[in-house]
Amino acid sequence: MNNAGIVETLPIDFVTREKLENIFAVNTCAPVLIFEGLLESGKLRNGSSVVFTSSVDNGDINVSMGNSMYCSSKAAVSEFVRYAAITAGERNIRVNAVCPGMTETNLLRDNPVLKSEILVENAKKYPLKRHGKPEDIANAIVYLLSDAASYVTGINLIVDGGITLSH
């Protein structure tokens, strides 16, 4: 499981090189380079499975105001997974990603822009009328890592309570 994520909600006018490089360093570069190191060192054995964490806010599926840096960094992860699956597939290694919707984690709770009233209203927009729980995402990851998904590679599995249905 290759999971990394930080967010800084800013209008595009306030994006700086330093902030952009920081978000990409954590959200994109670190997981990609860890995967590359594991692959090259032979630590990923034949039949292994690797799962990255992307997001439904990755630009291809959904966009949200003020999240251009986060969405761009997660879009890069989603695309990397597709290409990594081709390369790693030659070694019988599966590579996939989960793309969660809003999930009740510290990343959501600690965001100063998202006050509790905003989160309550936002949850009403989901067909399931709630944000995800960490175990919702964990169950999808367990599936992708398991033999039950032995013929699944190169996908971005959306786990979002249906929010992308309205986009």
Side-chain angles (χ1 to χ4, degrees):
M1 179 61 215
N2 206 337
N3 181 40
I6 59 171
V7 66
E8 185 166 354
T9 305
L10 289 173
I12 289 176
D13 296 349
F14 294 95
V15 171
T16 65
R17 174 182 285 276
E18 180 183 338
K19 290 177 182 187
L20 188 61
E21 287 176 351
N22 184 50
I23 284 181
F24 268 84
V26 172
N27 293 0
T28 309
C29 297
V32 166
L33 292 173
I34 288 169
F35 174 78
E36 188 275 333
L38 291 170
L39 193 62
E40 288 305 309
S41 69
K43 298 215 188 257
L44 294 175
R45 296 185 312 258
N46 186 321
S48 294
S49 177
V50 178
V51 178
F52 287 78
T53 302
S54 183
S55 173
V56 294
D57 288 330
N58 72 23
D60 187 44
I61 303 167
N62 191 33
V63 294
S64 56
M65 293 296 291
N67 278 332
S68 63
M69 295 185 297
Y70 177 80
C71 294
S72 298
S73 70
K74 290 302 185 176
V77 169
S78 288
E79 283 304 303
F80 176 78
V81 161
R82 293 165 30 95
Y83 291 95
I86 294 169
T87 301
E90 296 171 359
R91 302 180 197 184
N92 195 30
I93 297 168
R94 296 179 295 113
V95 183
N96 294 291
V98 291
C99 298
M102 278 191 156
T103 306
E104 296 171 1
T105 65
N106 290 344
L107 192 64
L108 184 63
R109 286 187 293 268
D110 295 343
N111 187 328
V113 175
L114 298 175
K115 305 293 182 216
S116 61
E117 312 83 56
I118 293 171
L119 293 174
V120 168
E121 284 305 308
N122 180 270
K124 292 177 184 176
K125 296 177 184 176
Y126 283 69
L128 297 180
K129 305 299 180 211
R130 68 175 179 87
H131 294 133
K133 298 176 184 163
E135 53 269 26
D136 296 324
I137 311 312
N139 289 333
I141 293 165
V142 167
Y143 163 70
L144 289 172
L145 291 173
S146 77
D147 290 340
S150 66
Y151 199 57
V152 178
T153 194
I155 70 159
N156 285 273
L157 180 60
I158 299 171
V159 185
D160 72 348
I163 191 65
T164 54
L165 296 171
S166 63
H167 290 89

